[in-house]
Structure formats: structure tokens, C-alpha cells
Amino acid sequence: MALQGLGTNSGSSRAQSSDLVFFLVCLVCQLALATQLNIAGGTVNFMLIFAGVTADKGNIDRATLFGFSAGLAFDLTSTTPVGLMALLLTLGSFLYATIFGGQSTEGSGLQVLRFAGLSLAVNVVFGLALFFMGVSTNFLAAVLLHPVMSAFLTALVSWVFFRFFGSSGPSYSVGAMGGGRPAMAMPSMRKSGLGSAKPRKAKSRGTRFKQPGKRFK
Amino acid sequence: MRPLIVLCAVSLVLCFFYMREGDAGLIHSVRSVTNTIASPVRYLGSAVATPFNAVGNVVENLATPQESYDELKKKNDELTTKVAELQEQANTAERLQGLLDIQSTYNLQSTAARIIGTSSDAWTSTVTIDKGSKDGIELNMPVSGSSGVIGQVIEVSLNTSTVRLITDENSGVSAMVQDTRAQGMVKGQPDGTLLLEYVTTDSDVKEGDIVVTSGIGGVYPKGLPIGTVQSVSAEANAVYYTIVLKAQANMENNEEVLVITSLIDEQAATNEEVSSANATPQGGARSSESGDKSGSEGSSDASSGDETGSSDASDEYTDSASTGEGE
């Protein structure tokens, strides 16, 4: 597993094609299903699911890029201001990958729970932004009703995607080979040049992972 | 950290230019091209959802305490599916007949289209129709269902268009109470209801009154049904009523709609009518046969107002498109 984590050329290309397939699946779902499912004022945001699942794998740079791509795809296929969801998913993916990335051994249930938090935060900020931009005029509906229902539905559907595309799902090894940090990766295995906050973050995570981390030293 | 900063900056720039540019701007054009490319997938989604809608109708019908539906309960799955398909086709034929009726009643210059999807986000009330610029659809064209106004085209791609529904919070349609000609503006609410605003408290409005388009904005033809008054209230010393409407038109998926491509002279409000509306926004006396009127019956005489007055027209009651409102 550790070798897979280091990545090879063929492994990297497999991971890239795997991510591309996952992106296309989410995009098709967004276009075909999200427009048909509107339950109690909420809709499923498949692009948010894509961003969340890829961020969960732990590679911060890729998560940021994929978050931006997913957000832009959402913006271009909806009627909301272009760039808004791209900004939110870029930031959201970065934060999610930084804080929770690579903790896939905890099981898909916990992953979904964490993702629900991301989903709720993104939807609330999105609703707030739409309210201040004048797209939505009712504060409660914009910041409470739509975000909560959308976050709930999105988190509910995300379980399937975490199961099949997540780092703890069947395609975990493929996802990890693409440069993504393995579940129990050491701070030293992280890609360099990702910011000065890294060592501090790694240190705090080291305490969270307890003994398994030390085994690699 | 660098990708984060760069991508955030790109997002902000995109957002800024999107808000600043007009409908013909670069980002809007990119979105239009994206929608064109994505339209086959939307069609696919619509096709996939159709059988589920049919099954939903069957479940609804079975719950209805009628003998014919009770018999259906005894049928096997295959026959139930068959009935559902036939029922769906019958509903489609009925809706198309309704569209033909409204087209001939109001003499609408229009193109028929089908709703293939709804808004992909929860904050806006829009639908996507299967006709675009190649079919002659243009921005701001009004859209009507078989029973009344449903919205206005806000985005057009090659083969699909996005329609902002009148229930959207950003919509605005100049309207009047059919019986008393009291003027106002219909705006959407987050809960899906409609609010008739700017109707002065000296107007005669009551529950059950039919509200129709006034045609003052020059976007919607006058006399098209919008909704029925559900409640009328006013706070002490208030200038305007708070009037809640129930939308007349159904805006479900796979519904056929008419995109009104142009207005003929008799459908647009004349200068005299606009002046009169602004001079006497509270309208006049209620017509005697008002209680028996239905939405479609009243359509033809909706344009035959007795308004006279000065030529000093304000845009207080004009449609949202004519005032430049919209995304």
C-alpha cells in the first residue's frame, strides 16, 4: 500500500482517468437528475459530492483544482452567478482536504457525516451570497430552508459515491495511486510546497492518529 | 497554497465580470454554449423521469375514491403500466388541447415547447424548455401554460432555453384584478405562492378574484390569467394590500408550454390604457357578473378596459423585463 501511495506513471494515469470518469458521472447526474429532483425546497448537488469525495482522498492541490472545476461546472449549468460556487468549492475542498483528507479508514459513515458538514456550510454560504446579490430575497429561505434541505439530500446521496468512488470504497487503491495521500500517510510523504501551515497541521494530525503514525518512522 | 489563491482569484474575477456584463457577454455566451452541449443529457434525464412521473400519477389515481380507479387496483403490473402510459398520453393530449385553446382564445403568436427540467439549484425557480435560438426563441419572451402565464425566457442556447417562473423571487409581472381593473404587480415568493403588490387599499379586491396580466409592460399580452386571490389583508394605515395569489398554471416537468414570440397590436396595452392605469390604479366598480367568471372566460374582455386619462405614464406597474430587472 505504501508503494501505491508513492505513485507510478501507470498508477497516476489510472487515477487521472478514474477521476475523469467520476467527474463525468457526477456531471451527467447533475444535468440529468438534479434538474428532476426537487424535494421540499432542496436539490442534490452532485458537483459538491464530486468535490467532497476527491477532497476526502487528501491530496490538497488536486482537491482544490477539482473543487474549482466542479464549482465551475455547476455554475455553467445552473442559473446562479458564474464563479460563486467555483469559489466556494475551491475553498471548501481546500479546507476539507486539509482538515479531514486521508482519514478514510474511519468508514464511509463518518465520511458522509463530515461531508454533510461541508455540504451544509457551502450551501449556507451560497444562500447567503445569493441573498446579498439579490438573487434570493427571502433571508430565511435562502439561508435556512434551501441550504438545510439541499445539504441533507446531497449528504444522503453522497453515501453512494463515497462507497464507490471514495478513498475507502472499492476504488481506494486507484485513488491513492494518483498521488493522493494514503489513509495512514506520514507528514513526510506529503507533497512539498503546499504552504507553511503544513507541518503544524501534520503535527496535530499525528496526535490524532496515535501509534500507527509512529510505525512508519 | 498557490493553486488556492489563483483559483479563488479566477472565481472572483468570473463572478465580478458575470455580474457586470450584459446578457450578450462572454461568460453568458459560454454558459449558453455549455447548455447547448449539455442539452442531450437533460433530454435523457427528462426521458428517465417520465416513467416515474407516470407511476406517481398511477399512485395518485389509485388513491382517488372512484370506481374506475378501484378497478385498476385489480389489474396486474403489466396492465397497470399500460394504463399509466395511456393515462400519460391522454394527459398530454389534454394539455395540448388546452394549449391550442389558449392559443386560439388569445390569438397568441407562439411556439410550443416542452419543459425538460427544472432549476438545478434550490434558490431559483426556473425551468428548461426544449426550444432555443434555432427555433426563434429570444430573451424576455413570455411563456404561457394551458391555464395561464408561467414565466419569461431569461437564457437562450441553441436548442434549449431557461424560463424564470413567475413564482421566482426575482420575477415581476404587471397585473390587474380582472373584475375591478385594480392595478398591481405580481411577484414570486420563496414558498411558491404569488404576491400581488402595489394594490391600493381603496381598491375593491376579495378572495376568489381572478388576476390577469395588464399588458402594461409590453412583455406579456394583456388578459392572460395569472392566478386567483387566496387572501387579502391590510395593516392599519397601510397604503397597499397584502394579496396572496394561487398560481393558475401548473409548472410540472414534461408540461407543454407556449412561448409567445410576438405580440399583436391588440394584445399590447395602449398609451391610453397605461395612462389610465396610472391615473386610477385602484380600478373601478366591480362588474355585476363577476362571481360567475372563470379565468379563461374573462380573457377576451380583459383587454376591453374603459380606461381613459392623461398620457403621463410611469413604469411602476411594468413587467420585470421591461425595467431591466433580472439576472
Side-chain angles (χ1 to χ4, degrees):
Chain A
M1 182 63 74
L3 285 174
Q4 286 178 340
L6 291 173
T8 61
N9 284 340
S10 63
S12 178
S13 65
R14 277 182 64 191
Q16 283 174 0
S17 53
S18 168
D19 287 333
L20 183 65
V21 168
F22 181 30
F23 180 79
L24 289 176
V25 167
C26 287
L27 187 61
V28 168
C29 288
Q30 179 69 23
L31 290 168
L33 297 181
T35 55
Q36 309 292 333
L37 295 169
N38 191 326
I39 302 168
T43 55
V44 180
N45 186 341
F46 289 94
M47 301 321 294
L48 177 56
I49 294 174
F50 171 77
V53 172
T54 49
D56 193 70
K57 291 174 182 172
N59 187 311
I60 297 171
D61 278 354
R62 293 181 71 172
T64 310
L65 183 64
F66 288 168
F68 174 78
S69 308
L72 194 60
F74 176 90
D75 288 331
L76 288 174
T77 55
S78 70
T79 53
T80 51
V82 174
L84 182 57
M85 187 57 90
L87 176 67
L88 292 179
L89 288 193
T90 305
L91 286 169
S93 296
F94 174 81
L95 291 173
Y96 190 93
T98 306
I99 299 169
F100 299 118
Q103 300 178 17
S104 55
T105 52
E106 293 168 3
S108 57
L110 199 60
Q111 284 175 313
V112 171
L113 208 60
R114 286 194 306 242
F115 173 75
L118 170 75
S119 178
L120 184 63
V122 167
N123 277 297
V124 167
V125 178
F126 188 65
L128 202 61
L130 290 182
F131 176 75
F132 284 117
M133 285 175 163
V135 176
S136 190
T137 55
N138 186 295
F139 184 79
L140 279 181
V143 180
L144 200 66
L145 173 69
H146 296 320
V148 169
M149 281 312 298
S150 295
F152 175 72
L153 291 173
T154 305
L156 206 63
V157 174
S158 74
W159 182 82
V160 179
F161 288 85
F162 271 107
R163 193 100 177 106
F164 290 98
F165 293 98
S167 49
S168 66
S171 64
Y172 164 65
S173 58
V174 174
M177 279 190 293
R181 197 176 68 235
M184 308 303 276
M186 286 302 299
S188 59
M189 290 173 66
R190 289 178 177 232
K191 292 175 73 176
S192 59
L194 292 178
S196 58
K198 284 259 174 232
R200 182 174 54 80
K201 203 72 221 172
K203 189 175 179 183
S204 66
R205 183 163 305 134
T207 57
R208 187 178 296 176
F209 279 120
K210 298 175 188 171
Q211 294 307 316
K214 290 183 177 175
R215 238 178 32 227
F216 287 87
K217 281 185 176 176
Chain B
M1 186 62 80
R2 186 178 294 170
L4 175 73
I5 296 168
V6 171
L7 294 175
C8 284
V10 171
S11 302
L12 285 170
V13 168
L14 280 174
C15 203
F16 176 77
F17 280 106
Y18 176 83
M19 300 298 281
R20 299 277 296 179
E21 72 175 16
D23 289 332
L26 178 66
I27 301 173
H28 283 81
S29 303
V30 171
R31 175 181 272 181
S32 175
V33 171
T34 308
N35 281 329
T36 303
I37 296 167
S39 57
V41 185
R42 290 190 198 273
Y43 283 112
L44 179 72
S46 177
V48 169
T50 303
F52 292 101
N53 291 339
V55 171
N57 287 342
V58 169
V59 172
E60 194 176 326
N61 290 341
L62 289 175
T64 309
Q66 294 179 22
E67 288 181 10
S68 59
Y69 293 142
D70 288 338
E71 287 176 11
L72 286 176
K73 288 180 181 177
K74 299 170 187 172
K75 306 289 184 185
N76 60 33
D77 290 343
E78 187 181 342
L79 191 54
T80 305
T81 307
K82 189 72 181 169
V83 169
E85 287 175 9
L86 290 172
Q87 184 68 41
E88 199 60 21
Q89 287 172 9
N91 289 342
T92 304
E94 195 177 331
R95 288 198 301 265
L96 287 171
Q97 185 60 48
L99 282 181
L100 283 174
D101 288 346
I102 201 166
Q103 190 177 30
S104 61
T105 303
Y106 293 92
N107 195 17
L108 299 175
Q109 313 298 305
S110 57
T111 301
R114 195 165 66 89
I115 297 174
I116 59 169
T118 57
S119 174
S120 59
D121 62 90
W123 287 265
T124 54
S125 297
T126 60
V127 292
T128 307
I129 57 174
D130 64 350
K131 292 285 171 67
S133 55
K134 73 177 173 62
D135 306 294
I137 308 297
E138 293 173 9
L139 278 178
N140 297 329
M141 282 181 172
V143 181
S144 171
S146 57
S147 50
V149 175
I150 71 161
Q152 189 175 14
V153 175
I154 57 164
E155 280 182 8
V156 182
S157 66
L158 189 65
N159 50 5
T160 61
S161 302
T162 305
V163 178
R164 174 181 284 141
L165 300 177
I166 55 173
T167 49
D168 187 274
E169 296 169 64
N170 279 317
S171 72
V173 185
S174 59
M176 61 184 174
V177 178
Q178 191 176 48
D179 288 333
T180 63
R181 326 304 282 180
Q183 302 288 326
M185 176 170 296
V186 172
K187 302 213 66 166
Q189 296 297 299
D191 61 357
T193 58
L194 299 169
L195 213 57
L196 179 59
E197 298 179 335
Y198 308 122
V199 176
T200 52
T201 48
D202 54 349
S203 307
D204 180 11
V205 185
K206 64 182 182 182
E207 285 180 32
D209 278 350
I210 292 164
V211 175
V212 297
T213 53
S214 65
I216 288 176
V219 174
Y220 291 92
K222 60 187 173 187
L224 277 180
I226 296 176
T228 311
V229 174
Q230 248 184 347
S231 69
V232 184
S233 59
E235 293 178 8
N237 301 321
V239 179
Y240 300 117
Y241 279 126
T242 302
I243 301 174
V244 179
L245 305 182
K246 184 178 183 297
Q248 196 89 3
N250 188 7
M251 296 159 210
E252 285 179 1
N253 200 7
N254 292 313
E255 192 88 356
E256 289 78 14
V257 295
L258 288 177
V259 182
I260 299 165
T261 50
S262 63
L263 301 185
I264 56 176
D265 286 344
E266 66 186 40
Q267 290 168 340
T270 60
N271 286 339
E272 287 75 22
E273 287 171 337
V274 174
S275 304
S276 173
N278 285 299
T280 55
Q282 75 277 15
R286 188 176 291 277
S287 57
S288 57
E289 70 276 18
S290 62
D292 302 326
K293 279 190 176 179
S294 67
S296 56
E297 284 170 342
S299 57
S300 58
D301 56 4
S303 59
S304 60
D306 54 353
E307 297 94 340
T308 55
S310 69
S311 59
D312 179 25
S314 81
D315 60 357
E316 185 177 3
Y317 298 106
T318 54
D319 302 325
S320 60
S322 59
T323 56
E325 189 180 323
E327 193 182 339

